[in-house]
Amino acid sequence: MPTKHSYADLLEANAWIRKASDAFYFQCTARTVQESKLFPVNPYIALSYLNAWYRYPDLFRKIEAAMPAEEIGDYARERSTSANIITNGIIEQFYLGGRQMLMDMGMLKPTDALDDVMYVLDFTRRLNLSYHRNHAHILPTDAGLSAQLLPERQVQVFEADALGTKPGDKLHTAVAQFLAAVSQYAFLKNSECRLGIHNSGPYKVAQGEMLVREFVDLAESDLPWLDGVAADVELNNITMPVFMKDTHFNIVDDWASFEAQPSYNHDNMYAVGLYTSDYLSDGYLPVHMDSASELADYLDHLRDSIHAATQGLWKQVAGWSRDQMIDSGLLVYYNVPKDLAHIAGVYDQQDWYTVEDRVQRFKPMFNDEYGNHLIAELVGYISLRSQQGNEYHMAKGSNARGDMWSTIPYSVLGDDEWTESVGPIRGGSTSLPQKTALYTTTQGKLTQEQCNEAARALRVPTLEDGLRHLDDTWVKNHPDDPRVHELYRRTQANSFALKDQGAGLLREDVLRLRKGAGREE
């Protein structure tokens, strides 16, 4: 029986598969590779792909029953959460990785689970289109390795409120020491992967460029292994706009990593801000930004609490078994969409922190040797038998015969055999301790049920009252419309320099107001 999906549906789905395949190949082969001597990284990556394959379809249907994917993208763009460039952009990669592995094992045909595959691809495409609406590309690789997520109204607030600093002063030193501490902590708590670190931008500012640096899931929150050890970390998500002179960020890529020309030199930082936000905040909330001295003192305090959490986590991880290390990394990778559930108000810890029974059966195969070779062939060499095209084929980026992810055969429109789904989620388990602490949020420490209730009740002011679809293009063509001023005033609600200024500000206005508010050095 022919599938219900149209020819146009399949054309679009296969184009998204190929775009994802090409983008992931570039990231995997052009960027740095880190190898952990502690965590079995490649075995846990491979197993996370399988967990994604079996569970994402049902979980995304559950999320979308509460909130459409494109609306979630809009909510995520107005704040910093774990739903960001790197996580939103790799959801379909991990899912297609599980599909490809099972196809290569001979357990799956490219026409299997057709409805699931079509739905996950459509969900992730709509999510990323919405999240990247401001620059109208679906991935940073499409924008020349740039990720300008934020509208003018938010960038103006960041620039106007940033606190001036210079090498050797108290704030400059505090920022450098804090970034070193939080970067090390972010890698460790995420089982030595980069998923807790996020960058977006760059944006042209008065003296150079601004890069928005973010660190997420720092406190007692979703990661159960942070219960206790991160009890004194006050903020779960941190946003730090850094303003650099004599520096061009020539790469901000799909993994939210950056490169600069000349290379990043902290001495070139001339201003900085600090904000927090999450799925329960109505925007970016400034943190101890009344003065440079106050911000420096708070960063030192936050650095010390993160140092203590890092030490506590090291002691905990040192006692973990290999199975626990695999589960932690597997779950960090697999749960990259978890904040979509938080935003929609349908988060369940069991959905995102257990390993599907159908994945547990693969674990005995995944020793280091097998896991390393499998991941190398799957996303590096593209040498698996199932990935190979015909002898004339030349893949983008490599000119090789193989592509990372296989497309869907159009024969399902005719008389080819196909199946609908992998079926419902079955039981799951983990070798790690269960979560016991409350969730750290901008509304305080809450239970899971309280988080969901608050998320469902939340109304983000810049998305309400007909403002949601007023983008920068519309604003440019309707400068005197009262709705433009209302949109800007709502974004400026917590600003030191721009509160109630409304729209129509040029850079010279922003700099004048910034100086008047005492934000310069």
Side-chain angles (χ1 to χ4, degrees):
M1 183 176 68
T3 174
K4 64 182 180 183
H5 304 288
S6 69
Y7 183 41
D9 292 339
L10 287 167
L11 289 167
E12 196 164 20
N14 280 335
W16 182 217
I17 290 175
R18 184 59 63 240
K19 178 186 284 292
S21 175
D22 294 341
F24 211 48
Y25 176 78
F26 170 79
Q27 291 292 148
C28 289
T29 56
R31 305 291 292 143
T32 57
V33 175
Q34 286 200 328
E35 182 182 0
S36 172
K37 296 299 183 185
L38 181 62
F39 287 85
V41 172
N42 286 324
Y44 80 53
I45 289 176
L47 288 162
S48 77
Y49 290 179
L50 295 174
N51 220 36
W53 169 256
Y54 288 117
R55 289 191 155 196
Y56 281 179
D58 262 15
L59 292 178
F60 292 165
R61 292 182 179 107
K62 175 181 177 180
I63 290 170
E64 202 152 34
M67 183 181 284
E70 49 270 42
E71 188 173 342
I72 294 173
D74 287 339
Y75 269 68
R77 195 180 55 251
E78 292 292 317
R79 303 162 291 179
S80 291
T81 70
S82 286
N84 51 43
I85 292 175
I86 181 170
T87 52
N88 289 343
I90 57 180
I91 296 171
E92 71 283 355
Q93 310 283 12
F94 293 178
Y95 178 74
L96 292 171
R99 175 178 181 253
Q100 199 70 43
M101 286 164 54
L102 292 170
M103 285 170 54
D104 207 73
M105 292 176 181
M107 299 177 67
L108 206 68
K109 300 192 301 295
T111 54
D112 280 332
L114 179 62
D115 289 353
D116 284 351
V117 174
M118 293 292 289
Y119 176 66
V120 170
L121 292 173
D122 180 59
F123 178 94
T124 53
R125 185 180 57 83
R126 287 183 285 121
L127 171 70
N128 280 283
L129 282 170
S130 171
Y131 182 66
H132 289 277
R133 184 183 84 174
N134 192 59
H135 64 95
H137 297 91
I138 192 167
L139 295 173
T141 47
D142 301 319
L145 296 172
S146 173
Q148 297 192 346
L149 297 173
L150 301 175
E152 177 198 57
R153 53 189 164 84
Q154 185 61 61
V155 178
Q156 282 185 339
V157 170
F158 282 165
E159 182 172 26
D161 289 350
L163 290 160
T165 183
K166 62 183 180 181
D169 70 20
K170 184 177 173 182
L171 179 56
H172 213 272
T173 302
V175 171
Q177 293 179 350
F178 171 76
L179 286 174
V182 74
S183 297
Q184 181 189 36
Y185 175 62
F187 270 97
L188 179 61
K189 74 178 179 59
N190 284 314
S191 308
E192 299 206 320
C193 79
R194 71 184 78 196
L195 286 169
I197 301 174
H198 178 254
N199 300 280
S200 68
Y203 301 88
K204 186 73 74 179
V205 290
Q207 298 183 49
E209 295 183 5
M210 178 186 75
L211 185 73
V212 181
R213 309 200 65 180
E214 295 172 338
F215 301 88
V216 297
D217 289 332
L218 301 173
E220 287 182 327
S221 55
D222 301 339
L223 302 177
W225 46 90
L226 294 189
D227 286 0
V229 300
D232 293 330
V233 178
E234 298 165 348
L235 305 177
N236 195 38
N237 300 332
I238 288 172
T239 299
M240 179 179 279
V242 294
F243 295 76
M244 306 289 291
K245 63 181 180 181
D246 302 326
T247 306
H248 171 50
F249 294 97
N250 59 308
I251 292 178
V252 180
D253 63 21
D254 297 351
W255 291 355
S257 300
F258 70 85
E259 288 187 8
Q261 292 179 342
S263 58
Y264 186 95
N265 182 343
H266 190 62
D267 284 349
N268 286 331
M269 187 187 78
Y270 69 87
V272 66
L274 184 69
Y275 299 82
T276 189
S277 60
D278 61 13
Y279 53 86
L280 296 185
S281 69
D282 59 7
Y284 291 95
L285 306 174
V287 178
H288 292 278
M289 287 179 59
D290 284 343
S291 69
S293 178
E294 179 185 332
L295 180 55
D297 288 342
Y298 185 72
L299 285 172
D300 287 346
H301 163 72
L302 199 55
R303 179 204 62 205
D304 290 343
S305 63
I306 283 175
H307 268 315
T310 304
Q311 291 169 0
L313 188 55
W314 271 119
K315 292 176 184 175
Q316 184 180 151
V317 170
W320 279 359
S321 66
R322 174 185 168 82
D323 197 37
Q324 287 176 308
M325 290 192 181
I326 284 181
D327 275 6
S328 68
L330 184 168
L331 293 170
V332 164
Y333 258 62
Y334 152 74
N335 70 35
V336 290
K338 67 179 178 59
D339 267 24
L340 308 181
H342 271 307
I343 292 171
V346 294
Y347 180 83
D348 186 332
Q349 188 79 12
Q350 292 299 307
D351 286 342
W352 300 104
Y353 284 90
T354 54
V355 182
E356 172 89 9
D357 290 346
R358 287 173 287 184
V359 178
Q360 296 281 11
R361 60 184 172 164
F362 288 96
K363 272 188 176 176
M365 292 172 52
F366 282 74
N367 57 28
D368 284 354
E369 182 180 13
Y370 181 77
N372 290 343
H373 284 298
L374 174 59
I375 291 299
E377 292 204 58
L378 180 69
V379 301
Y381 298 118
I382 318 296
S383 52
L384 297 178
R385 186 169 179 269
S386 64
Q387 295 174 310
Q388 305 311 304
N390 63 58
E391 292 178 322
Y392 297 95
H393 183 68
M394 299 173 67
K396 180 180 179 181
S398 67
N399 290 331
R401 184 175 167 181
D403 286 297
M404 192 177 291
W405 311 137
S406 296
T407 54
I408 303 167
Y410 295 100
S411 57
V412 295
L413 295 166
D415 59 355
D416 199 1
E417 293 183 349
W418 55 276
T419 58
E420 293 180 356
S421 170
V422 297
I425 291 175
R426 300 179 188 174
S429 59
T430 175
S431 58
L432 293 163
Q434 295 295 308
K435 178 168 179 58
T436 56
L438 298 173
Y439 295 79
T440 303
T441 76
T442 55
Q443 295 189 20
K445 297 224 173 192
L446 306 176
T447 65
Q448 177 179 288
E449 290 71 24
Q450 289 170 329
C451 287
N452 284 333
E453 184 178 350
R456 290 193 292 269
L458 182 69
R459 298 293 177 267
V460 175
T462 51
L463 301 176
E464 294 295 311
D465 305 322
L467 302 180
R468 179 184 165 198
H469 297 134
L470 305 188
D471 62 349
D472 279 357
T473 300
W474 189 89
V475 167
K476 180 181 69 175
N477 292 305
H478 300 80
D480 300 322
D481 192 296
R483 289 171 292 176
V484 177
H485 292 280
E486 182 61 23
L487 177 64
Y488 274 65
R489 277 194 287 269
R490 292 187 184 191
T491 307
Q492 297 160 354
N494 297 309
S495 173
F496 295 88
L498 302 186
K499 186 175 177 62
D500 293 330
Q501 290 295 322
L505 299 174
L506 300 177
R507 170 154 293 143
E508 60 186 29
D509 302 315
V510 172
L511 296 180
R512 173 178 50 78
L513 291 163
R514 166 180 163 76
K515 185 176 182 179
R519 314 307 290 177
E520 294 184 347
E521 181 186 358

